[in-house]
Amino acid sequence: MMPNRMPSWRDNLYHLLFRHCGLCQLPLAHAEHYWCQHCISHFPSPPYCHHCGSTTLTSVAHCGHCLTQPPRWHRLYRLGEYRPPLQQLVHQLKFCGKFWLARPLAQQLAHQITQPAPLLLPVPLHWRRYSQRGFNQSHQLALALGAILNSRVNHRVFQRLRHTQPQQQLTQNQRRHNLHHAFQLRPITLPDHVAIVDDVVTTGATVDQLTRLLIQRGVKQVDIYTLCHTEQSVN
Protein backbone atom coordinates (compact mmCIF):
# COMPACT_ATOMS: atom_id res chain seq x y z
CA MET A 1 0.00 0.00 0.00
CA MET A 2 1.31 3.44 -0.89
CA PRO A 3 1.86 5.91 1.98
CA ASN A 4 -1.25 7.93 2.67
CA ARG A 5 0.16 11.43 2.54
CA MET A 6 -0.60 14.69 0.80
CA PRO A 7 2.38 15.37 -1.50
CA SER A 8 3.64 18.86 -2.21
CA TRP A 9 3.67 20.52 -5.61
CA ARG A 10 7.31 19.38 -5.88
CA ASP A 11 6.16 15.89 -6.92
CA ASN A 12 4.56 17.18 -10.11
CA LEU A 13 7.20 19.86 -10.75
CA TYR A 14 9.92 17.21 -10.66
CA HIS A 15 8.11 15.39 -13.52
CA LEU A 16 7.74 18.53 -15.60
CA LEU A 17 11.31 19.75 -15.22
CA PHE A 18 13.34 16.57 -15.26
CA ARG A 19 11.00 14.33 -17.31
CA HIS A 20 11.47 11.05 -15.53
CA CYS A 21 8.95 8.21 -15.67
CA GLY A 22 6.67 8.35 -12.65
CA LEU A 23 6.97 4.59 -12.19
CA CYS A 24 10.51 3.45 -13.05
CA GLN A 25 12.16 6.91 -12.70
CA LEU A 26 14.09 6.47 -15.98
CA PRO A 27 14.30 9.44 -18.39
CA LEU A 28 11.33 9.85 -20.72
CA ALA A 29 11.66 9.90 -24.51
CA HIS A 30 10.57 13.03 -26.34
CA ALA A 31 7.11 11.66 -27.21
CA GLU A 32 6.50 10.15 -23.75
CA HIS A 33 4.62 11.88 -20.96
CA TYR A 34 4.43 10.91 -17.27
CA TRP A 35 5.24 7.23 -17.92
CA CYS A 36 7.49 5.45 -20.39
CA GLN A 37 6.02 3.03 -22.90
CA HIS A 38 7.74 0.12 -21.16
CA CYS A 39 5.85 0.82 -17.90
CA ILE A 40 2.58 1.47 -19.74
CA SER A 41 2.94 -1.92 -21.43
CA HIS A 42 2.85 -3.47 -17.95
CA PHE A 43 -0.51 -1.95 -17.05
CA PRO A 44 -2.70 -5.00 -16.21
CA SER A 45 -5.12 -5.07 -19.15
CA PRO A 46 -6.23 -8.64 -19.90
CA PRO A 47 -9.26 -9.34 -22.15
CA TYR A 48 -12.62 -8.52 -20.63
CA CYS A 49 -16.37 -8.60 -21.20
CA HIS A 50 -17.36 -5.31 -22.82
CA HIS A 51 -20.73 -5.41 -21.08
CA CYS A 52 -20.00 -6.03 -17.40
CA GLY A 53 -16.22 -5.45 -17.36
CA SER A 54 -15.21 -8.83 -15.86
CA THR A 55 -11.95 -10.38 -17.02
CA THR A 56 -12.43 -13.14 -19.61
CA LEU A 57 -10.18 -15.48 -21.59
CA THR A 58 -10.85 -13.49 -24.77
CA SER A 59 -12.55 -10.16 -25.35
CA VAL A 60 -16.30 -10.70 -25.74
CA ALA A 61 -19.35 -8.49 -26.16
CA HIS A 62 -21.29 -10.45 -23.51
CA CYS A 63 -19.94 -13.06 -21.11
CA GLY A 64 -22.03 -15.98 -19.84
CA HIS A 65 -23.12 -14.07 -16.75
CA CYS A 66 -24.29 -11.13 -18.87
CA LEU A 67 -26.37 -13.43 -21.05
CA THR A 68 -28.37 -14.54 -17.99
CA GLN A 69 -28.17 -11.43 -15.76
CA PRO A 70 -27.15 -8.47 -17.94
CA PRO A 71 -26.21 -5.18 -16.25
CA ARG A 72 -28.52 -2.21 -16.82
CA TRP A 73 -25.82 -0.25 -18.64
CA HIS A 74 -24.92 -0.68 -22.30
CA ARG A 75 -21.11 -1.01 -22.25
CA LEU A 76 -18.23 -0.70 -19.80
CA TYR A 77 -14.87 0.71 -20.89
CA ARG A 78 -11.95 0.08 -18.59
CA LEU A 79 -8.22 0.74 -18.62
CA GLY A 80 -7.31 -2.45 -16.79
CA GLU A 81 -7.49 -4.47 -13.60
CA TYR A 82 -6.86 -3.18 -10.09
CA ARG A 83 -3.36 -4.61 -9.87
CA PRO A 84 0.12 -3.02 -9.83
CA PRO A 85 1.13 -0.62 -11.23
CA LEU A 86 -2.39 0.71 -11.91
CA GLN A 87 -3.34 -0.07 -8.32
CA GLN A 88 -0.67 2.28 -6.99
CA LEU A 89 -1.55 5.03 -9.47
CA VAL A 90 -5.25 4.92 -8.60
CA HIS A 91 -4.39 4.89 -4.89
CA GLN A 92 -2.16 7.95 -5.35
CA LEU A 93 -4.91 9.74 -7.27
CA LYS A 94 -7.64 8.87 -4.80
CA PHE A 95 -5.98 8.95 -1.38
CA CYS A 96 -2.67 10.83 -1.77
CA GLY A 97 -3.99 13.98 -3.42
CA LYS A 98 -2.16 13.49 -6.74
CA PHE A 99 -5.13 14.76 -8.73
CA TRP A 100 -2.89 15.64 -11.70
CA LEU A 101 -2.64 11.90 -12.43
CA ALA A 102 -6.22 12.07 -13.72
CA ARG A 103 -5.09 13.47 -17.07
CA PRO A 104 -2.47 10.86 -18.08
CA LEU A 105 -4.73 8.07 -16.81
CA ALA A 106 -7.62 9.52 -18.81
CA GLN A 107 -5.41 9.65 -21.89
CA GLN A 108 -4.76 5.93 -21.60
CA LEU A 109 -8.44 5.16 -20.94
CA ALA A 110 -9.59 7.30 -23.88
CA HIS A 111 -7.77 4.97 -26.28
CA GLN A 112 -10.31 2.26 -25.34
CA ILE A 113 -13.45 4.36 -25.91
CA THR A 114 -14.72 3.84 -29.45
CA GLN A 115 -18.04 5.70 -29.23
CA PRO A 116 -17.71 8.61 -26.77
CA ALA A 117 -20.85 9.79 -25.02
CA PRO A 118 -21.66 13.49 -25.47
CA LEU A 119 -22.20 13.91 -21.71
CA LEU A 120 -20.03 12.53 -18.88
CA LEU A 121 -21.42 12.23 -15.34
CA PRO A 122 -18.96 11.58 -12.50
CA VAL A 123 -20.05 9.47 -9.54
CA PRO A 124 -20.77 11.97 -6.75
CA LEU A 125 -19.18 12.09 -3.31
CA HIS A 126 -21.11 12.94 -0.17
CA TRP A 127 -20.10 16.35 1.15
CA ARG A 128 -18.53 14.78 4.24
CA ARG A 129 -16.17 12.62 2.20
CA TYR A 130 -15.51 15.49 -0.18
CA SER A 131 -14.51 17.73 2.73
CA GLN A 132 -12.10 15.04 3.98
CA ARG A 133 -10.51 14.37 0.59
CA GLY A 134 -10.68 17.90 -0.85
CA PHE A 135 -11.71 16.77 -4.34
CA ASN A 136 -13.70 14.13 -6.19
CA GLN A 137 -11.35 11.87 -8.13
CA SER A 138 -14.16 10.75 -10.48
CA HIS A 139 -14.92 14.38 -11.32
CA GLN A 140 -11.23 15.04 -12.06
CA LEU A 141 -11.14 11.97 -14.29
CA ALA A 142 -14.34 13.06 -16.07
CA LEU A 143 -12.93 16.54 -16.72
CA ALA A 144 -9.79 15.05 -18.24
CA LEU A 145 -11.78 12.60 -20.37
CA GLY A 146 -14.18 15.34 -21.48
CA ALA A 147 -11.30 17.45 -22.78
CA ILE A 148 -9.87 14.51 -24.70
CA LEU A 149 -13.16 13.13 -26.07
CA ASN A 150 -14.75 16.55 -26.69
CA SER A 151 -17.62 15.62 -24.33
CA ARG A 152 -19.44 17.83 -21.85
CA VAL A 153 -19.09 17.14 -18.12
CA ASN A 154 -21.81 17.84 -15.55
CA HIS A 155 -21.06 16.97 -11.93
CA ARG A 156 -24.39 18.33 -10.67
CA VAL A 157 -26.76 15.84 -12.34
CA PHE A 158 -26.43 13.31 -9.51
CA GLN A 159 -26.89 14.25 -5.88
CA ARG A 160 -25.73 12.02 -3.05
CA LEU A 161 -28.48 12.15 -0.43
CA ARG A 162 -26.85 10.37 2.47
CA HIS A 163 -23.43 9.40 3.76
CA THR A 164 -23.23 5.63 3.20
CA GLN A 165 -21.08 3.04 4.90
CA PRO A 166 -17.82 2.39 2.97
CA GLN A 167 -18.38 -0.35 0.40
CA GLN A 168 -15.01 -2.08 0.75
CA GLN A 169 -15.91 -4.86 3.20
CA LEU A 170 -19.54 -5.40 2.14
CA THR A 171 -20.95 -8.27 0.10
CA GLN A 172 -22.66 -7.58 -3.21
CA ASN A 173 -26.14 -7.73 -1.66
CA GLN A 174 -25.03 -5.54 1.25
CA ARG A 175 -23.61 -3.00 -1.20
CA ARG A 176 -26.94 -2.75 -3.02
CA HIS A 177 -28.81 -2.32 0.25
CA ASN A 178 -26.25 0.21 1.45
CA LEU A 179 -26.86 2.35 -1.65
CA HIS A 180 -30.67 2.14 -1.57
CA HIS A 181 -32.07 5.66 -1.97
CA ALA A 182 -28.54 7.06 -1.66
CA PHE A 183 -28.71 9.05 -4.92
CA GLN A 184 -31.06 11.46 -6.58
CA LEU A 185 -31.22 12.72 -10.15
CA ARG A 186 -31.73 16.45 -10.44
CA PRO A 187 -34.36 17.70 -12.94
CA ILE A 188 -32.28 18.39 -16.04
CA THR A 189 -32.56 17.58 -19.74
CA LEU A 190 -30.29 14.70 -20.69
CA PRO A 191 -29.16 13.38 -24.09
CA ASP A 192 -29.98 9.85 -25.20
CA HIS A 193 -26.39 8.71 -24.64
CA VAL A 194 -24.44 9.44 -21.44
CA ALA A 195 -21.50 7.88 -19.62
CA ILE A 196 -20.96 7.47 -15.89
CA VAL A 197 -17.34 8.00 -14.80
CA ASP A 198 -15.91 6.19 -11.77
CA ASP A 199 -12.33 5.48 -10.77
CA VAL A 200 -12.85 1.81 -9.79
CA VAL A 201 -15.79 -0.53 -10.40
CA THR A 202 -16.02 -3.62 -8.18
CA THR A 203 -19.46 -5.22 -8.01
CA GLY A 204 -21.00 -2.39 -10.02
CA ALA A 205 -23.58 -1.61 -7.32
CA THR A 206 -22.96 2.14 -7.40
CA VAL A 207 -23.02 2.57 -11.17
CA ASP A 208 -26.04 0.24 -11.33
CA GLN A 209 -28.04 2.54 -9.05
CA LEU A 210 -27.07 5.57 -11.10
CA THR A 211 -27.85 3.80 -14.38
CA ARG A 212 -31.32 2.91 -13.08
CA LEU A 213 -32.05 6.56 -12.36
CA LEU A 214 -30.90 7.59 -15.84
CA ILE A 215 -32.99 4.94 -17.59
CA GLN A 216 -36.03 5.98 -15.58
CA ARG A 217 -35.44 9.51 -16.85
CA GLY A 218 -35.51 8.24 -20.44
CA VAL A 219 -31.82 7.93 -21.32
CA LYS A 220 -31.44 5.30 -24.05
CA GLN A 221 -27.75 4.35 -23.67
CA VAL A 222 -25.65 4.46 -20.51
CA ASP A 223 -21.95 3.54 -20.67
CA ILE A 224 -19.45 3.19 -17.83
CA TYR A 225 -15.94 4.67 -18.02
CA THR A 226 -13.60 3.40 -15.32
CA LEU A 227 -9.88 3.09 -14.73
CA CYS A 228 -10.02 -0.32 -13.09
CA HIS A 229 -12.39 -3.22 -12.64
CA THR A 230 -11.90 -5.59 -9.76
CA GLU A 231 -13.72 -8.44 -8.10
CA GLN A 232 -11.79 -7.81 -4.89
CA SER A 233 -12.33 -5.30 -2.10
CA VAL A 234 -10.52 -2.00 -2.67
CA ASN A 235 -8.87 -0.56 0.43
Side-chain angles (χ1 to χ4, degrees), residues 56-85:
T56 51
L57 294 177
T58 60
S59 294
V60 293
H62 305 277
C63 65
H65 181 75
C66 290
L67 293 176
T68 56
Q69 295 181 335
R72 301 177 199 263
W73 60 81
H74 179 75
R75 178 165 180 175
L76 185 146
Y77 295 91
R78 75 180 203 186
L79 179 54
E81 287 186 332
Y82 192 73
R83 292 189 286 110

Side-chain angles (χ1 to χ4, degrees), residues 166-201:
Q167 297 273 84
Q168 285 90 336
Q169 305 302 324
L170 302 180
T171 66
Q172 186 168 358
N173 288 335
Q174 288 172 333
R175 287 173 184 240
R176 292 197 181 98
H177 180 75
N178 187 44
L179 294 171
H180 190 58
H181 295 312
F183 302 101
Q184 176 178 283
L185 193 61
R186 288 189 170 96
I188 186 173
T189 301
L190 298 169
D192 289 340
H193 182 196
V194 304
I196 298 170
V197 181
D198 201 3
D199 58 322
V200 179
V201 171

Side-chain angles (χ1 to χ4, degrees), residues 3-49:
N4 190 4
R5 65 178 182 88
M6 290 295 290
S8 71
W9 51 268
R10 295 184 185 88
D11 293 323
N12 198 31
L13 185 61
Y14 179 84
H15 268 313
L16 297 176
L17 293 180
F18 298 101
R19 291 187 47 78
H20 283 68
C21 174
L23 290 169
C24 68
Q25 303 304 316
L26 293 175
L28 293 172
H30 178 71
E32 295 174 337
H33 301 281
Y34 284 92
W35 310 299
C36 65
Q37 288 301 315
H38 175 76
C39 286
I40 291 175
S41 69
H42 284 81
F43 282 9
S45 53
Y48 68 98
C49 171

